[in-house]
Amino acid sequence: MSKADLLAKLKSIIEPYVQNKEAFSLISEETDFINDLKINSANLIDVALDVEDEFDIMIENDDMDKMLTVKSSLEVIEQKLAEK
């Protein structure tokens, strides 16, 4: 799966939780889920669970703690997909 495909899927997963729609329209790898998109910490857990379902992977708590930006989330997803 290409990075563009991964990003497109990740965007569709996080969109329902985004509070700052303007920042979402400008999303990049540097986008921070909490500071830029205003996703609260409880919803970050929902994002991680949705990622698990979408990609059929398991995300441990340590990895979940890293998933605070688009880039770090993509890295975790790519790592988990490579381990499958």
Side-chain angles (χ1 to χ4, degrees), residues 44-61:
L44 281 179
I45 294 168
D46 294 330
V47 168
L49 295 173
D50 292 348
V51 165
E52 286 182 331
D53 291 342
E54 178 67 33
F55 294 99
D56 191 30
I57 56 177
M58 288 295 301
I59 299 175
E60 288 79 25
N61 288 343

Side-chain angles (χ1 to χ4, degrees), residues 1-27:
M1 184 176 296
S2 74
K3 194 162 205 137
D5 290 339
L6 285 176
L7 179 57
K9 282 190 173 193
L10 182 61
K11 281 177 69 174
S12 69
I13 290 168
I14 64 174
E15 186 171 17
Y17 305 105
V18 171
Q19 300 300 311
N20 185 340
K21 300 296 183 187
E22 185 178 334
F24 182 74
S25 70
L26 304 170
I27 198 165

